[in-house]
Amino acid sequence: MSSSPSLTARGSRLALLVVGLCWLAVLFDGLDMFIYGSVLPHLLETKTFGLTADQAGDLGSYATFGMLVGALTAGTVADRIGRKTLMVACVTLFSLASGLCAISGSVEVFGLGRTLAGVGLGGLLPTAISMVSDYAPRGRGAIVIGMLMTAHHVGGILSAYVAKWLVDPVGWRAAFWVCVVPIAFAPVLAKLLPESLSFLVAKGRDEEAQALAARYDVELPAATGKKTAADRWDALVGLFRGGEWIQTLLYWLASFGGLLLVYGVATWLPTLMRTEGYALANALTFVVVFNLGGIVGMLVAGRAADRFGAPRISAIWFALTAAGVFLLSVHMPMAVTTLVVFLTGVFLNSAQTMIYATVSIRSSPDNRATAVGWTSGMGRFGAVFGPWLGGQLLAAGNGDFGFTAFALAGLSSMVFIGIAALRSPRSDTPSSTGQELATAH
């Protein structure tokens, strides 16, 4: 039976509330993630804590290591306490961790704060994506997930303005105090956000799930049998059976290089631009432009992949990213540099997403979630390595080589995903809802 127009309109408004709450949570996630890179040039120039470039790289890796831990444990924790509760906990954790950074008196305490923040950041995004997937209007799940992913880049833009407005007149600690503000949003989430339909169905709370689905005019997720440890192990082993191990390793290597590039550039872009002779205000402007490009890239990559195939777009996107990152090592007129930064943002962030799309499309339905999840997990080691690498290069006086090193990472991902695509002749027609792809990010 179809829903009445009034019920559909009411359900759409309520679903928009859920999506809006999750969008704000992911925006705060992006703000907290990017704030370190935005204040890093100031920290190094003022020698805060006696901070050196190699220590700064280590600090950047602490947050991405925390994200690795958060992302890997989010599913297990959410299955126990619920996705709504986990989202509230994650927002609270990374907000309080930013407060720890703000009051820190040593590099060790600051590093602990960034690690704890990373755990919260890593756990929030996949959980938020699961929530909007449950409550997205009928037939609009992929579009809503794409819109949600833009919030992370809006948070990156906000981080640059927070640094520009506060660091010089007030100090770097003020920027981290701003990142504590989202803790006031946690009670709002707790009060207004409904529980995940998938969680309720999995827990057998069918009446509650049916009532929410009717209220929000969304489809009730199908019940799925709970996977045992043996099932999960068999799915992982399946990625290495026969000749599949070569394909799997190629995907993992491509993801490693891609996330090394994403988080290396996100952490070091303002500092590296300072080493190229740009003023601090201009270097922070590049952060804004880079994230604007990321928003555009997220909106156009999917359409391009639908038309030309995800593997082809991923390889081309990485090639263009490598070219853009390499060009940033050349001091060009401000207008040209701004354009290059924007285009690099367009291609860089969505190139990695296209790896997940390729893995999803070319995996069997029963193994798809495992294949995408492990490709993302292996790639996150690159996310840890990227910030560390940038710090080591700067400490060795090779800041100019930083852009070149990141460009080489992009070229390696282009090669690995290209070879993987050539080895697997399966159709490139998207065959998933997109939730696995966005969750893997």
Side-chain angles (χ1 to χ4, degrees), residues 9-157:
R10 180 170 174 266
S12 295
R13 288 195 297 270
L14 291 171
L16 184 61
L17 171 65
V18 175
V19 174
L21 289 171
C22 290
W23 193 92
L24 285 172
V26 174
L27 180 147
F28 296 137
D29 182 299
L31 169 64
D32 209 307
M33 176 63 214
F34 283 97
I35 196 65
Y36 175 67
S38 293
V39 304
L40 184 54
H42 176 84
L43 295 177
L44 289 172
E45 290 175 9
T46 58
K47 300 189 183 303
T48 302
F49 305 135
L51 192 66
T52 61
D54 56 341
Q55 288 177 319
D58 292 343
L59 289 174
S61 292
Y62 292 163
T64 52
F65 176 76
M67 291 180 70
L68 171 63
V69 174
L72 292 179
T73 59
T76 301
V77 175
D79 287 343
R80 289 182 176 274
I81 68 174
R83 284 153 182 76
K84 170 184 175 177
T85 304
L86 180 58
M87 280 190 64
V88 173
C90 286
V91 171
T92 302
L93 177 58
F94 67 67
S95 299
L96 291 176
S98 290
L100 182 60
C101 291
I103 65 174
S104 60
S106 67
V107 69
E108 291 79 13
V109 175
F110 186 90
L112 175 62
R114 289 305 292 166
T115 303
L116 293 175
V119 175
L121 298 172
L124 176 72
L125 188 58
T127 310
I129 290 168
S130 177
M131 291 292 292
V132 300
S133 296
D134 283 352
Y135 287 99
R138 300 173 190 269
R140 296 185 179 181
I143 294 174
V144 169
I145 289 173
M147 292 175 59
L148 180 71
M149 298 294 283
T150 66
H152 199 257
H153 296 289
V154 175
I157 293 171

Side-chain angles (χ1 to χ4, degrees), residues 377-440:
M378 293 299 104
R380 286 192 177 274
F381 287 101
V384 175
F385 185 68
W388 175 87
L389 176 62
Q392 294 300 309
L393 290 172
L394 275 175
N398 293 320
D400 286 344
F401 186 67
F403 284 120
T404 303
F406 292 140
L408 290 174
L411 287 177
S412 70
S413 291
M414 176 199 72
V415 171
F416 290 133
I417 195 65
I419 295 174
L422 291 173
R423 290 190 76 258
S424 178
R426 294 183 187 178
S427 170
D428 291 341
T429 302
S431 53
S432 71
T433 63
Q435 181 174 345
E436 296 100 333
L437 314 186
T439 304

